[in-house]
Amino acid sequence: MQTQTGNTGFWVTLLGYYLIICRVLVQAADNMEGNTTVLEKPIRHSLSLCPGEQQYVNRRKEVVLKGLNSLQINCTADTVPHITLLASGGGQRSAVSLVGFLYQLEKEALLDTLLYIGGVSGSTWSMAYLYSDPQWSSNMDEAVSLLSGPGVELEQAVAWLTEKSKDEHFSLTDIWGLLTSAGIMKQMDPRNLSEEASRNVTNPYPVYCAVEKHCFSHGPLEGKWFEVTPHEAGFTELNLFVETSLFGSKFQNGELMEKKPEMDMVRLQGILGCALAHEDVIREMIPLWFNVPIDDAAKEYLHVYNVLRNVITLTSSTIKDPTALSELDRLQKTLHDMVNHNESVLLQSLGPEERKNLFQQWRYGLVGAVETWGQSLDDGDFKTSVAFLTKQVLPLILKWEWGTTSNFLYQFQDASVPDCLQSKEQFHLIDAGLLINVAYPAFLGDKRDIDLMIAPEFSAGTMFETLTLARDYAAQVKKPFPQIDNKVLEESDWPRDCYVFEGKEKEPTIIYMPLFNRQNCKDAEEFKAKMKEFSTFQRPFSQEKIDFLLDTAKTNMKNNREILLREMNKAALRRMNKMMG
Ligand SMILES: *[C@@H]1O[C@H](CO)[C@@H](O)[C@H](O)[C@H]1NC(C)=O
Ligand SMILES: *[C@@H]1O[C@H](CO)[C@@H](O)[C@H](O)[C@H]1NC(C)=O
Ligand SMILES: *[C@@H]1O[C@H](CO)[C@@H](O)[C@H](O)[C@H]1NC(C)=O
Ligand SMILES: *[C@@H]1O[C@H](CO)[C@@H](O)[C@H](O)[C@H]1NC(C)=O
Ligand SMILES: *[C@@H]1O[C@H](CO)[C@@H](O)[C@H](O)[C@H]1NC(C)=O
């Protein structure tokens, strides 16, 4: 998945002007501070942290200070280094591995050194899971054991859906959030994120990331990266934010028009971790026999198949009954056979319009097969749940309705807001992994002023790609990023378990730690095989696979404890120099 950014020079120039304007605005805002008129504006335009995050970070630093001192790292209240963990996406592989990595950080007494955790895609699933416990940082044993627990029952999931389906914005996003939450994280916690704003500082501060789809496809880089914290939601590079409790409410020209209830974590999880909602992800699943161009009609057909396949897979993880499970397998196989039946001769004999009709017919055929299957089930709870699911979910799949959110920048009269945002009443947030599969953008630059980024890499695809994409992104938005030696990139077929990219002056240092590596794979072949065995799109992992991933992530962390300590020490020294310089 590539970044698409044309006209770079133009945007960089524009950004330059824009930053100057912002500084003026920030100063203006600062001058007015303490005056109530400032507080009435619901959209915050500023390069600094919002007061809520600032207070959290200040208090969290006391925890970090104690943590570092107990590791014999010398620093004072004024010189606490800013250390963040940035976990990559990667479906269930990353969701589970992150839990393992954090577990071991706790065991090594390193968890308290983290000021922040930033996540995208699969890692946001485990963040949403962990933060449902306000004290998770001191409860990692439980977090790990719940992952191996009994999980959510289909009936419970269906009850949640019944409630949600009454909502006017009910969409595939809810289904996706539900299934990843119940099926993969084995939990369903309907809290909302802004409730966490009042928590104490036991945990690192969470930053969840997404990208905005309209701007992702045709807009400037500044309109893409989106971040959500317990306090605020907004565009990282535009420096425009609203309070998280207003995220989803209706705005026009910067004024709050209508307050809406805040979305819960289940829906948020659906928004943050659904690469399926984007057109590009079907590339990997085009059947071999397809010998016609993949036009829109073909895409629609493959999308429907892909979503059905995933919904069925995740549904099976909420079920214990062997009969029901084998019924789901039967359905999965029926659909698989329908899509993999070689029709290349027929397709080639048709013109574009006829092909379009055929694809549409096939699309309905898949949905029809699910309905027929549902009716063929023996009467009982499973059949009832399935009937409800098919009634609610199939129409959404056919209409391809993914969740949109009211756009707080709608008609906002400010030159910095790109057209792709200003003109749309709704924006559409999608999986940030489509741009960069690690939350680097939210942590670059002066705002969070990070000294050290610990980046366990759980992504699929080419190793180091998240890093080089982030480097290029940083260059485009003119924020410091450490040098990456091109020699290192040659190790992508069989990477080491830990790389340090050392930052100079304002650049952060990055510790990059591939999940599979030279320590746990004897050669490039085994590395490739492991990546395949734990690929992103597959049925939920067996307990053995979950345990294997947990162990792998724990061991990686443990093996590199000394490197982490050394870099934390350097980060503390650097922060001290920064404060004195
Ligand atoms: C707010 O502004 C008003 C009028 O502009 C001024 O009189 C007042 O002192 C200001 N309040 C603070 C706290 O700065
Ligand atoms: C720790 O820092 C203090 C003050 O910056 C300094 O005086 C002291 O020598 C340092 N100790 C070590 C062990 O580096
Ligand atoms: C946060 O609150 C919990 C429970 O109320 C308490 O046990 C814990 O010590 C507190 N942690 C901090 C860092 O204040
Ligand atoms: C968040 O959830 C709580 C309880 O679930 C609810 O009382 C509160 O109104 C919600 N907040 C918003 C802004 O919707
Ligand atoms: C599909 O069928 C055509 C015609 O029989 C054949 O040439 C082609 O190789 C087949 N494709 C696959 C992937 O089996």
Side-chain angles (χ1 to χ4, degrees):
M1 289 162 211
Q2 298 293 319
T3 17
Q4 296 146 351
T5 40
N7 292 331
T8 313
F10 170 72
W11 284 111
V12 167
T13 313
L14 192 61
L15 182 71
Y17 288 124
Y18 166 64
L19 288 176
I20 294 168
I21 295 166
C22 278
R23 282 203 188 102
V24 173
L25 287 178
V26 170
Q27 276 166 10
D30 285 346
N31 292 341
M32 288 163 77
E33 207 139 51
N35 215 317
T36 47
T37 53
V38 179
L39 300 173
E40 279 163 17
K41 285 275 171 238
I43 297 181
R44 193 176 73 93
H45 192 171
S46 165
L47 290 170
S48 7
L49 294 180
C50 66
E53 179 175 339
Q54 186 66 63
Q55 277 162 23
Y56 192 102
V57 164
N58 289 346
R59 285 186 294 131
R60 174 72 186 166
K61 280 185 181 178
E62 294 165 20
V63 175
V64 176
L65 177 64
K66 267 198 209 138
L68 289 172
N69 287 343
S70 75
L71 294 161
Q72 320 303 327
I73 294 174
N74 200 3
C75 71
T76 63
D78 303 328
T79 62
V80 175
H82 298 190
I83 303 174
T84 183
L85 184 81
L86 299 183
S88 80
Q92 188 176 12
R93 182 186 54 249
S94 72
V96 172
S97 303
L98 174 58
V99 173
F101 196 90
L102 288 168
Y103 172 93
Q104 198 61 35
L105 279 176
E106 189 205 354
K107 298 300 152 208
E108 308 291 338
L110 295 175
L111 191 49
D112 280 351
T113 66
L114 301 179
L115 203 51
Y116 286 101
I117 295 187
V120 303
S121 194
S123 57
T124 64
W125 302 345
S126 39
M127 285 168 65
Y129 164 78
L130 290 167
Y131 281 89
S132 75
D133 173 2
Q135 308 295 320
W136 67 262
S137 287
S138 42
N139 260 341
M140 281 308 297
D141 288 296
E142 190 175 323
V144 166
S145 71
L146 286 179
L147 261 193
S148 316
V152 176
E153 303 275 327
L154 184 60
E155 284 76 21
Q156 195 187 339
V158 164
W160 182 88
L161 265 192
T162 312
E163 226 9 73
K164 285 288 140 171
S165 61
K166 297 174 191 151
D167 186 310
E168 59 168 322
H169 293 299
F170 181 63
S171 77
L172 283 176
T173 303
D174 295 293
I175 311 283
W176 194 253
L178 170 77
L179 290 173
T180 50
S181 177
I184 292 182
M185 302 318 296
K186 304 185 174 176
Q187 180 203 57
M188 247 175 46
D189 178 1
R191 78 188 186 281
N192 50 39
L193 183 57
S194 69
E195 286 170 41
E196 294 179 23
S198 55
R199 285 187 181 172
N200 76 11
V201 292
T202 305
N203 305 314
Y205 191 73
V207 181
Y208 296 86
C209 298
V211 291
E212 204 289 316
K213 185 176 164 176
H214 304 301
C215 290
F216 173 68
S217 306
H218 348 87
L221 191 58
E222 290 71 36
K224 295 181 190 193
W225 199 267
F226 194 90
E227 56 182 71
V228 193
T229 69
H231 292 95
E232 277 194 339
F235 290 90
T236 305
E237 307 302 342
L238 295 174
N239 301 300
L240 288 164
F241 301 93
V242 284
E243 267 179 37
T244 298
S245 61
L246 294 178
F247 174 44
S249 290
K250 282 195 180 159
F251 285 82
Q252 200 175 348
N253 188 18
E255 301 294 333
L256 178 61
M257 305 303 283
E258 187 188 350
K259 174 105 174 65
K260 295 274 189 185
E262 187 182 342
M263 71 177 78
D264 68 15
M265 286 307 285
V266 178
R267 176 177 286 175
L268 185 61
Q269 180 164 335
I271 289 179
L272 299 171
C274 192
L276 291 186
H278 197 262
E279 288 76 17
D280 287 350
V281 294
I282 51 165
R283 248 178 306 162
E284 284 167 31
M285 47 155 314
I286 298 169
L288 287 173
W289 60 266
F290 255 60
N291 57 352
V292 294
I294 306 292
D295 56 11
D296 286 349
K299 272 188 194 161
E300 280 174 13
Y301 167 60
L302 292 174
H303 276 312
V304 166
Y305 172 56
N306 196 19
V307 166
L308 283 175
R309 203 173 59 132
N310 279 285
V311 166
I312 296 164
T313 297
L314 287 172
T315 305
S316 39
S317 57
T318 63
I319 286 174
K320 312 251 148 23
D321 174 23
T323 319
L325 278 170
S326 78
E327 286 293 352
L328 283 167
D329 276 349
R330 179 167 69 91
L331 174 62
Q332 198 71 288
K333 181 159 187 326
T334 305
L335 299 181
H336 178 267
D337 291 349
M338 286 170 83
V339 171
N340 287 281
H341 190 252
N342 186 343
E343 298 281 9
S344 63
V345 177
L346 173 62
L347 273 188
Q348 282 220 302
S349 70
L350 301 176
E353 199 55 30
E354 291 166 308
R355 268 206 311 258
K356 190 174 155 196
N357 290 336
L358 186 65
F359 278 126
Q360 186 172 3
Q361 208 178 314
W362 285 353
R363 193 152 53 95
Y364 283 102
L366 291 174
V367 169
V370 178
E371 279 169 342
T372 310
W373 167 84
Q375 285 152 9
S376 77
L377 297 170
D378 291 336
D379 287 343
D381 288 348
F382 182 56
K383 184 173 187 165
T384 311
S385 296
V386 165
F388 176 82
L389 278 173
T390 41
K391 185 162 152 272
Q392 293 296 336
V393 179
L394 294 181
L396 296 177
I397 293 181
L398 279 172
K399 281 190 283 179
W400 201 244
E401 230 163 69
W402 291 93
T404 53
T405 309
S406 285
N407 173 11
F408 68 88
L409 296 180
Y410 177 54
Q411 296 188 340
F412 188 52
Q413 302 304 315
D414 185 307
S416 68
V417 180
D419 257 4
C420 47
L421 292 173
Q422 207 167 46
S423 61
K424 298 269 191 316
E425 243 177 289
Q426 305 279 315
F427 55 46
H428 189 163
L429 296 174
I430 53 174
D431 198 310
L434 293 160
L435 188 64
I436 305 174
N437 208 22
V438 178
Y440 290 109
F443 293 90
L444 298 172
D446 289 338
K447 182 171 166 181
R448 297 199 166 101
D449 195 17
I450 302 298
D451 300 292
L452 178 62
M453 298 175 169
I454 301 170
E457 176 67 277
F458 312 127
S459 300
T462 314
M463 280 300 111
F464 305 111
E465 192 185 34
T466 53
L467 208 56
T468 52
L469 286 174
R471 174 192 62 190
D472 299 346
Y473 179 100
Q476 280 176 303
V477 298
K478 296 214 155 97
K479 290 178 181 174
F481 199 84
Q483 277 282 308
I484 299 169
D485 183 356
N486 281 333
K487 265 227 180 72
V488 166
L489 305 184
E490 289 163 17
E491 298 181 6
S492 67
D493 290 343
W494 188 36
R496 281 177 264 166
D497 59 341
C498 188
Y499 296 85
V500 176
F501 300 96
E502 188 154 5
K504 311 222 158 47
E505 294 173 27
K506 298 202 107 188
E507 298 162 358
T509 289
I510 297 173
I511 305 181
Y512 180 82
M513 306 175 70
L515 177 66
F516 296 119
N517 52 55
R518 290 181 192 213
Q519 293 300 314
N520 53 32
C521 299
K522 67 178 185 301
D523 53 22
E525 277 310 301
E526 190 183 342
F527 173 77
K528 208 166 142 191
K530 276 280 183 303
M531 292 295 276
K532 184 146 185 269
E533 186 185 347
F534 290 89
S535 67
T536 308
F537 297 105
Q538 58 170 290
R539 59 166 49 247
F541 297 148
S542 63
Q543 194 57 51
E544 290 71 45
K545 274 189 163 178
I546 291 177
D547 292 340
F548 181 84
L549 279 180
L550 286 170
D551 278 347
T552 304
K554 288 178 195 172
T555 309
N556 279 349
M557 194 273 109
K558 199 180 169 76
N559 286 346
N560 292 294
R561 183 177 193 271
E562 292 311 312
I563 295 180
L564 261 59
L565 275 176
R566 185 189 75 203
E567 293 306 321
M568 284 174 180
N569 209 349
K570 283 194 207 163
L573 287 172
R574 237 148 64 102
R575 173 64 45 179
M576 204 176 294
N577 291 336
K578 258 190 209 175
M579 298 312 283
M580 295 194 312

